[in-house]
Amino acid sequence: MIQAILVFNNHGKPRLVRFYQHFPEEIQQQIVRETFHLVLKRDDNICNFLEGGSLIGGSDYKLIYRHYATLYFVFCVDSSESELGILDLIQVFVETLDKCFENVCELDLIFHMDKVHYILQEVVMGGMVLETNMNEIVAQIEAQNRLEKSEGGALG
Amino acid sequence: MLAGSRPGVGKAATSRRLAPLCSPSPGKSKEAEIKRINKELANIRSKFKGDKALDGYSKKKYVCKLLFIFLLGHDIDFGHMEAVNLLSSNRYTEKQIGYLFISVLVNSNSELIRLINNAIKNDLASRNPTFMGLALHCIANVGSREMAEAFAGEVPKILVAGDTMDSVKQSAALCLLRLYRTSPDLVPMGDWTSRVVHLLNDQHLGVVTAATSLITTLAQKNPEEFKTSVSLAVSRLSRIVTSASTDLQDYTYYFVPAPWLSVKLLRLLQCYPPPEDPAVRGRLTECLETILNKAQEPPKSKKVQHSNAKNAVLFEAISLIIHHDSEPNLLVRACNQLGQFLQHRETNLRYLALESMCTLASSEFSHEAVKTHIDTVINALKTERDVSVRQRAVDLLYAMCDRSNAQQIVAEMLSYLETADYSIREEIVLKVAILAEKYAVDYAWYVDTILNLIRIAGDYVSEEVWYRVIQIVINRDDVQGYAAKTVFEALQAPACHENLVKVGGYILGEFGNLIAGDPRSSPLVQFNLLHSKFHLCSVPTRALLLSTYIKFVNLFPEVKPTIQDVLRGDSQLRNADVELQQRAVEYLRLSTVASTDILATVLEEMPPFPERESSILAKLKKKKGPSTVTDLEDTKRERSVDVNGGPEPAPASASAAVGPSPAVPACCDGLGNNLLLFCSLMFVCKNNGVLFENQLLQIGLKSEFRQNLGRMFIFYGNKTSTQFLNFTPTPVPRCGLDSLTRTHLNLQTKPVDPTVDGGAQVQQVVNIECVSDFTEAPVLNIQFRYGGTFQNVSVQLPITLNKFFQPTEMSSQDFFQRWKQLSNPQQEVQNIFKAKHPMDTEITKAKIIGFGSALLEEVDPNPANFVGAGIIHTKTSQTGCLLRLEPNLQAQMYRLTLRTSKETVSQRLCELLSQQF
């Protein structure tokens, strides 16, 4: 199961935080900070897995992460997930973001936070992998967009 | 993507909503940000509270802002109600943001949950697939118990209904999985289970993937019910593996057909043993072979995604092969494949290969094959740039270590330790210490290794490790002289670690005489050497050295004046530390008043330590959790104990030669694989309490006895957050030597649920019948699987003869009359012993009553004595018992006398009761 999905930039600013297990607000922030410090000190071309921090699960959990330009995507998972599978899932998520935002960048995550959440929800649901087929995910998001449009010009 | 440097301005213009909060120019101070956010929060609050009703769009806008502020780390204490209102909107976009807010921010806030559940109920019933999807997502994301109570009945219906759309089915499967994970008791099994299994045949691969995840979790707990999924999973897997990459269209990921589904199916199969049906089994073997073959084919794409996806399947296939542990051919192929990965240029693959090989090393078929990679692994330890990978290399070296390569592996680990990362030093120290001890053929080598360990990484050598070396030296006389010589030499170094001073001080104090014949290490030289370190050491070490000095006084009378001078010095006799001062005063006095004989008795050589599980092994397990300490030895021991069929201690290996340090309480050292714990004395006089506890498991007891019958409630609590699988506790009576054929105790119980969820507790009731009097308490053997490894715990159940005691009241006259009747020497057993606890009258009374007999007041002419009477009930006989306990406060001794009509009963009761005072 995926315990948490954290996206933050090179300065540790959270850009997307999703917990599938309840933690109080301040602990959530601490986890983001701790995770940031764990991955920050790692070179770019070393391995993408490391043992979880002290706050989230300890050694039963692994952090699986990828670093894209200005952003870190970190998934905290338990032993029931395949490491390489999750690594690919991060890639699917990012590729989907890229398709939906046409060449995604950090600002898209800020200004379209709701949309980013909706895309994530099509990939991961309650900590479990829902869909891995990018076309299917994009189709769902497009259907949402159409619904949104049909609901009219009230949108910003 | 993401790398693209695009001006953010154009983008920002199109979404004004969040613009006030995030200026694209960084560098604003933290205070400014907080100020701005507080202003915005106040604005939103006033909008929500204002008289003017907000339209849906504005509500949506503000809720979205709140989410962003929350992301930045600010607490949001309002807006929940507005979000709930959005749920009942008919507009999709408003509903959607409402659900998002709730999933991110709400956690079983009871008042709101009712309203939220209402909205969800409506959406589930709406038959609008989009709304249903949103509702299912919300249930899965919050996953609280309240939600499980409300929807655990409904979701399975949606899942198996014929007219449900694929995307809803997919969400329903995962939603149900989430509810089952949080509240398994609330999800009713039923007709739907068989239909869920058939989802493995579904057309839509997304549905199959979700269903496989669900079935995997359900099957772990209800293997029987989902057994049919094995053949379905194998045939599905076979169709994927053998298909051309284009067959599965969209589910082909960088030329790999449906990698996620393959991984999930292989995981599902790991819930079961190898299939029994030869056809299914053959087909599975074919699949696994195909996957292994594909690994050898040239890659269809240079992209890393291609190799990741392909290898994700491959590693999972290898896990399944290791799990089955039945096809030597496949195991060896798996090992070779991993061997290739050990040298792969991708760090991730090297990491995973090291990790998988660790489990492979514990299979008897592949242990030898794993060992052939030793040089590569050692090389990884030396050259890997990534500490996570080096850590895995250490784990693997530890797992592949056996007698044949122990010297090499220990040497390599020691040399790695000189440069190892601080974060893993302590663990390596423990591993080296364990391997050195376990595979020591030559104890001189062992002593050298540990002293090296202290030299290289003294700060990381915990007490357990240096206690252990002392225990081993004390228990083995063949190494004592060598140890004394070696520590003496090591102490010559100008700067040596304090731990070395401790070990040296202790060993020279015990065995310094063995090297005193050599003028280079004469008593005075030894003393001066130790004392030269004295002032640099901490208080506990100095205390230890003072004890060494008094031992020297005994061993070497010629240095007595020197030592007395030291003890007499102001820095000892007037030391500010009370412990040091006391030792100095007492030792000085002892050295002056005691005769040589008394001194020799008091300071006699330490007796050997009892043989129990290594305390350092326990420490490593505690540190790492059980899954990482599973080495071959554990599995081997597990097997050999099966052969022995019972509670015998682990077969003697080098590690069994010594016991834990006296500082570690005997009944809680570590995870206790095969560790037989002796009946806690505390249960003799009471019936409830915690029987056993380690990192994983807590066992509590509640019992009641009447005449020769009893009932015991055993509560097993899972202390981890992970499920225990195949949890099987079995209480078994043990026979004493006298009666291999007769049973003294009958125990009856039902098996418990084989799965114990993280944090959950299960109960087992044992009905007990005492057939005849007995001495051996029954044993409770517990086996379970935790994080992929088998755990074995054996504990004595505190069912002792006195539990079947019924108190009998009688007068003083009756008591002494019966006492006299039982004057035959075989009927009386007496024990005189020293008090182990403070001699408190009230506590003693409580213990005698707890023991089960009546406490007879005013019977004994001496009011300080205690007398008791009762009857031991067994199925075959009833035995009257009288007891008398005479305390002697001055000597701190007791005399306990038992008289019963049966010698064995007197004997056993006397043993049991004597331990209590």
Side-chain angles (χ1 to χ4, degrees):
Chain A
M1 181 176 164
I2 301 167
Q3 223 63 16
I5 293 174
L6 314 173
V7 178
F8 40 76
N9 69 11
N10 292 347
H11 306 287
K13 273 268 176 219
R15 289 307 177 216
L16 172 71
V17 172
R18 197 65 208 261
F19 282 89
Y20 296 103
Q21 179 196 342
H22 181 75
F23 287 100
E25 159 77 16
E26 44 311 359
I27 305 289
Q28 291 194 8
Q29 290 295 324
Q30 274 181 35
I31 291 174
V32 172
R33 274 197 300 279
E34 191 189 44
T35 313
F36 171 66
H37 288 297
L38 281 175
V39 297
L40 181 71
K41 58 180 181 202
R42 296 172 61 82
D43 286 352
D44 255 356
N45 47 4
I46 59 177
C47 113
N48 298 76
F49 322 122
L50 63 157
E51 276 181 13
S54 56
L55 290 168
I56 187 156
S59 58
D60 288 350
Y61 291 86
K62 274 199 180 128
L63 299 175
I64 296 173
Y65 76 100
R66 268 178 184 276
H67 188 194
Y68 295 91
T70 65
L71 292 176
Y72 285 96
F73 285 70
V74 186
F75 281 39
C76 176
V77 303
D78 67 12
S79 59
S80 70
E81 302 288 343
S82 146
E83 288 94 341
L84 289 172
I86 294 291
L87 208 51
D88 275 345
L89 191 72
I90 299 178
Q91 178 70 16
V92 167
F93 178 45
V94 174
E95 280 187 37
T96 312
L97 287 175
D98 202 46
K99 276 197 180 165
C100 295
F101 290 110
E102 297 161 21
N103 200 2
V104 69
C105 73
E106 187 178 339
L107 283 172
D108 293 314
L109 268 63
I110 299 171
F111 291 121
H112 300 281
M113 200 190 49
D114 47 344
K115 188 130 267 174
V116 173
H117 268 291
Y118 300 145
I119 295 170
L120 179 61
Q121 283 192 4
E122 293 303 323
V123 182
V124 176
M125 169 175 171
M128 287 138 325
V129 182
L130 176 65
E131 184 55 75
T132 53
N133 172 356
M134 213 177 319
N135 295 337
E136 183 88 27
I137 300 166
V138 174
Q140 291 286 345
I141 296 295
E142 276 166 1
Q144 285 181 20
N145 290 344
R146 278 197 300 279
L147 261 173
E148 209 172 297
K149 281 222 178 73
S150 71
E151 284 180 358
L155 291 164
Chain B
M1 102 192 39
L2 288 177
S5 57
R6 231 161 18 112
V9 191
K11 205 77 185 175
T14 59
S15 48
R16 317 181 294 273
R17 279 185 282 142
L18 297 164
L21 288 178
C22 14
S23 109
S25 60
K28 285 271 159 62
S29 72
K30 186 87 187 158
E31 292 78 33
E33 184 193 295
I34 292 177
K35 213 168 151 195
R36 210 142 45 110
I37 281 171
N38 283 338
K39 202 172 144 202
E40 189 60 34
L41 281 174
N43 175 37
I44 299 172
R45 202 189 295 263
S46 73
K47 284 282 186 331
F48 281 161
K49 287 221 171 118
D51 310 328
K52 216 173 78 188
L54 290 175
D55 59 12
Y57 168 69
S58 315
K59 268 194 211 158
K60 186 180 141 194
K61 176 174 78 179
Y62 293 126
V63 167
C64 207
K65 278 188 180 179
L66 288 181
L67 275 176
F68 187 75
I69 294 172
F70 179 74
L71 172 72
L72 292 179
H74 302 268
D75 214 359
I76 302 296
D77 53 2
F78 67 100
H80 299 72
M81 204 53 219
E82 283 71 18
V84 172
N85 287 338
L86 284 174
L87 295 186
S88 42
S89 162
N90 277 328
R91 278 177 181 273
Y92 170 69
T93 46
E94 289 170 14
K95 208 186 255 301
Q96 193 185 24
I97 191 86
Y99 272 124
L100 178 58
F101 184 91
I102 304 245
S103 318
V104 174
L105 274 165
V106 173
N107 180 265
S108 52
N109 177 331
S110 58
E111 269 173 57
L112 283 178
I113 282 287
R114 210 166 37 82
L115 294 171
I116 297 168
N117 281 358
N118 251 338
I120 293 178
K121 203 163 282 168
N122 291 336
D123 282 335
L124 284 184
S126 71
R127 309 189 67 78
N128 172 338
T130 325
F131 289 2
M132 286 169 87
L134 285 176
L136 288 168
H137 266 282
C138 183
I139 302 173
N141 286 331
V142 177
S144 66
R145 209 171 158 81
E146 290 84 351
M147 286 204 169
E149 274 163 10
F151 303 110
E154 187 60 24
V155 180
K157 288 184 202 148
I158 297 174
L159 175 60
V160 297
D163 56 347
T164 307
M165 280 183 50
D166 287 339
S167 65
V168 177
K169 254 189 215 166
Q170 228 170 319
S171 304
L174 293 185
C175 181
L176 186 58
L177 169 53
R178 177 65 196 255
L179 293 183
Y180 188 78
R181 282 223 172 110
T182 38
S183 325
D185 51 315
L186 293 179
V187 177
M189 293 291 138
D191 303 344
W192 59 271
T193 52
S194 60
R195 297 172 68 182
V196 164
V197 173
H198 283 279
L199 288 179
L200 290 177
N201 277 333
D202 202 280
Q203 294 270 312
H204 190 280
L205 285 198
V207 174
V208 185
T209 312
T212 312
S213 300
L214 173 63
I215 295 168
T216 305
T217 304
L218 293 173
Q220 280 166 358
K221 201 157 184 180
N222 318 282
E224 273 306 308
E225 206 146 344
F226 292 90
K227 220 174 170 179
T228 46
S229 64
V230 173
S231 61
L232 289 177
V234 169
S235 64
R236 190 90 217 195
L237 182 68
S238 151
R239 268 177 285 158
I240 297 169
V241 171
T242 54
S243 75
S245 60
T246 45
D247 289 1
L248 299 157
Q249 299 128 7
D250 292 348
Y251 284 86
T252 298
Y253 179 81
Y254 290 89
F255 304 101
V256 183
W260 280 277
L261 179 53
S262 310
V263 165
K264 293 281 174 203
L265 289 168
L266 289 162
R267 278 274 153 127
L268 168 59
L269 292 171
Q270 286 172 56
C271 301
Y272 290 94
E276 279 157 21
D277 180 346
V280 178
R281 190 171 176 152
R283 204 162 175 200
L284 178 59
T285 306
E286 221 170 88
C287 284
L288 295 171
E289 277 169 350
T290 313
I291 295 171
L292 287 169
N293 290 341
K294 276 189 183 169
Q296 299 302 325
E297 289 168 12
K300 294 200 175 90
S301 154
K302 284 213 165 68
K303 287 251 169 134
V304 67
Q305 284 83 351
H306 170 69
S307 92
N308 275 353
K310 192 163 125 180
N311 292 325
V313 178
L314 178 59
F315 274 108
E316 215 51 61
I318 292 175
S319 293
L320 180 63
I321 293 169
I322 298 172
H323 168 80
H324 284 172
D325 198 12
S326 62
E327 303 260 357
N329 179 25
L330 285 176
L331 279 162
V332 170
R333 281 194 69 183
C335 184
N336 292 340
Q337 181 60 54
L338 293 177
Q340 282 183 20
F341 282 147
L342 286 183
Q343 318 215 30
H344 202 279
R345 59 186 167 75
E346 272 276 319
T347 317
N348 289 339
L349 294 182
R350 296 197 301 274
Y351 173 97
L352 293 173
L354 289 166
E355 194 178 56
S356 297
M357 255 199 192
C358 255
T359 42
L360 203 53
S362 59
S363 160
E364 56 182 316
F365 298 118
S366 49
H367 182 73
E368 287 304 314
V370 170
K371 274 168 62 185
T372 59
H373 298 286
I374 184 165
D375 293 329
T376 319
V377 183
I378 287 171
N379 195 41
L381 192 61
K382 287 178 175 160
T383 57
E384 282 291 349
R385 288 168 52 223
D386 185 348
V387 55
S388 323
V389 185
R390 290 197 297 270
Q391 165 106 54
R392 292 287 91 83
V394 171
D395 288 346
L396 177 54
L397 283 178
Y398 180 75
M400 66 162 68
C401 191
D402 61 21
R403 209 165 287 279
S404 72
N405 54 19
Q407 303 232 354
Q408 185 189 6
I409 285 179
V410 165
E412 290 296 345
M413 281 189 171
L414 272 177
S415 79
Y416 172 58
L417 196 54
E418 310 227 19
T419 53
D421 311 73
Y422 294 108
S423 55
I424 57 175
R425 281 196 180 184
E426 190 187 354
E427 194 190 317
I428 299 178
V429 166
L430 285 173
K431 285 187 165 155
V432 170
I434 291 168
L435 293 178
E437 176 187 327
K438 198 192 254 176
Y439 299 115
V441 259
D442 169 4
Y443 279 89
W445 173 74
Y446 169 76
V447 170
D448 287 341
T449 304
I450 302 293
L451 291 183
N452 260 330
L453 208 52
I454 295 174
R455 186 180 54 76
I456 296 168
D459 285 343
Y460 298 88
V461 172
S462 57
E463 284 186 339
E464 285 86 349
V465 174
W466 73 261
Y467 284 176
R468 194 81 182 137
V469 68
I470 287 173
Q471 289 164 12
I472 291 187
V473 171
I474 285 178
N475 285 21
R476 305 201 53 103
D477 25 3
D478 51 339
V479 76
Q480 289 159 356
Y482 181 81
K485 183 165 162 285
T486 322
V487 291
F488 177 78
E489 278 162 11
L491 282 169
Q492 311 267 340
C496 53
H497 196 273
E498 190 165 334
N499 278 336
L500 181 67
V501 179
K502 290 179 189 160
V503 174
Y506 200 102
I507 289 185
L508 292 180
E510 291 289 321
F511 309 113
N513 54 330
L514 300 175
I515 56 167
D518 187 329
R520 284 166 301 172
S521 52
S522 71
L524 194 61
V525 175
Q526 286 186 38
F527 172 75
N528 286 336
L529 180 62
L530 282 175
H531 200 55
S532 69
K533 317 280 179 194
F534 186 89
H535 301 281
L536 301 169
C537 292
S538 64
V539 169
T541 310
R542 278 191 268 162
L544 186 151
L545 286 178
L546 288 179
S547 299
T548 303
Y549 297 170
I550 188 70
K551 290 181 193 169
F552 274 8
V553 169
N554 171 44
L555 289 177
F556 316 121
E558 65 267 38
V559 294
K560 182 166 158 183
T562 321
I563 287 173
Q564 281 176 331
D565 280 345
V566 168
L567 291 176
R568 217 176 274 132
D570 273 357
S571 58
Q572 312 304 341
L573 272 191
R574 289 164 202 253
N575 196 296
D577 187 89
V578 63
E579 176 70 29
L580 291 180
Q581 194 187 52
Q582 189 176 355
R583 285 196 190 204
V585 171
E586 287 176 2
Y587 291 162
L588 181 61
R589 196 81 196 122
L590 185 64
S591 71
T592 25
V593 299
S595 69
T596 343
D597 284 354
I598 292 180
L599 210 54
T601 317
V602 173
L603 300 167
E604 206 180 358
E605 201 175 287
M606 291 294 284
F609 287 87
E611 303 185 357
R612 289 205 206 91
E613 191 197 37
S614 157
S615 55
I616 40 177
L617 194 57
K619 169 142 180 153
L620 181 67
K621 286 173 178 169
K622 190 167 157 189
K623 198 169 151 50
K624 290 295 286 175
S627 51
T628 37
V629 198
T630 57
D631 53 0
L632 183 60
E633 211 57 24
D634 279 357
T635 349
K636 275 185 189 156
R637 268 194 252 151
E638 191 180 294
R639 282 185 191 138
S640 52
V641 163
D642 284 349
V643 176
N644 291 343
E648 268 82 23
S653 65
S655 68
V658 269
S661 94
V664 182
C667 56
C668 62
D669 45 16
L671 288 165
N673 273 353
N674 303 316
L675 181 66
L676 182 64
L677 293 162
F678 293 94
C679 202
S680 322
L681 298 176
M682 60 179 250
F683 278 100
V684 172
C685 291
K686 64 181 215 175
N687 288 331
N688 306 330
V690 174
L691 176 66
F692 171 85
E693 184 157 7
N694 66 12
Q695 258 63 51
L696 306 177
L697 178 70
Q698 187 192 57
I699 306 175
L701 286 185
K702 233 175 141 170
S703 41
E704 53 198 33
F705 294 89
R706 168 163 299 198
Q707 301 198 332
N708 72 321
L709 300 176
R711 179 178 294 162
M712 184 173 265
F713 297 86
I714 311 178
F715 302 91
Y716 305 95
N718 179 344
K719 290 171 66 183
T720 69
S721 53
T722 317
Q723 275 186 339
F724 293 164
L725 301 173
N726 309 358
F727 188 82
T728 35
T730 7
V732 277
R734 284 196 296 167
C735 307
L737 287 174
D738 57 327
S739 53
L740 289 168
T741 48
R742 268 192 346 211
T743 35
H744 302 280
L745 271 180
N746 281 328
L747 302 180
Q748 275 187 333
T749 186
K750 289 202 186 96
V752 300
D753 197 328
T755 314
V756 186
D757 278 316
Q761 194 182 59
V762 294
Q763 180 192 325
Q764 186 179 33
V765 186
V766 185
N767 288 315
I768 307 150
E769 184 191 34
C770 176
V771 181
S772 61
D773 69 279
F774 63 98
T775 50
E776 300 277 341
V779 174
L780 177 64
N781 290 322
I782 302 154
Q783 289 190 322
F784 58 95
R785 227 181 155 76
Y786 167 72
T789 53
F790 260 111
Q791 302 290 327
N792 255 316
V793 175
S794 297
V795 210
Q796 269 194 355
L797 275 182
I799 302 175
T800 43
L801 184 57
N802 66 298
K803 298 292 175 195
F804 306 97
F805 224 145
Q806 292 282 304
T808 321
E809 293 291 342
M810 58 180 76
S811 67
S812 174
Q813 201 187 348
D814 286 348
F815 182 85
F816 283 104
Q817 193 184 348
R818 290 183 200 198
W819 185 263
K820 283 190 193 109
Q821 282 166 3
L822 295 168
S823 57
N824 197 325
Q826 286 100 47
Q827 292 167 333
E828 183 187 279
V829 174
Q830 196 171 69
N831 189 10
I832 299 170
F833 54 92
K834 211 157 174 57
K836 289 188 282 292
H837 303 285
M839 296 174 79
D840 181 299
T841 312
E842 289 312 309
I843 295 177
T844 307
K845 283 183 182 168
K847 280 183 178 166
I848 292 176
I849 293 168
F851 192 65
S853 79
L855 181 73
L856 304 178
E857 306 268 8
E858 292 167 26
V859 167
D860 199 292
N862 178 351
N865 292 348
F866 305 90
V867 293
I871 297 166
I872 293 283
H873 289 261
T874 69
K875 194 180 174 190
T876 47
S877 68
Q878 296 188 357
T879 316
C881 311
L882 303 176
L883 66 91
R884 187 180 195 194
L885 180 72
E886 297 157 276
N888 179 342
L889 279 170
Q890 222 157 17
Q892 290 284 305
M893 304 275 280
Y894 288 102
R895 178 162 69 187
L896 174 66
T897 317
L898 265 132
R899 288 191 179 185
T900 78
S901 50
K902 207 170 168 189
E903 191 186 354
T904 48
V905 174
S906 308
Q907 190 71 45
R908 182 63 186 148
L909 290 180
C910 184
E911 275 166 28
L912 285 170
L913 193 56
S914 303
Q915 298 158 348
Q916 294 300 314
F917 300 104

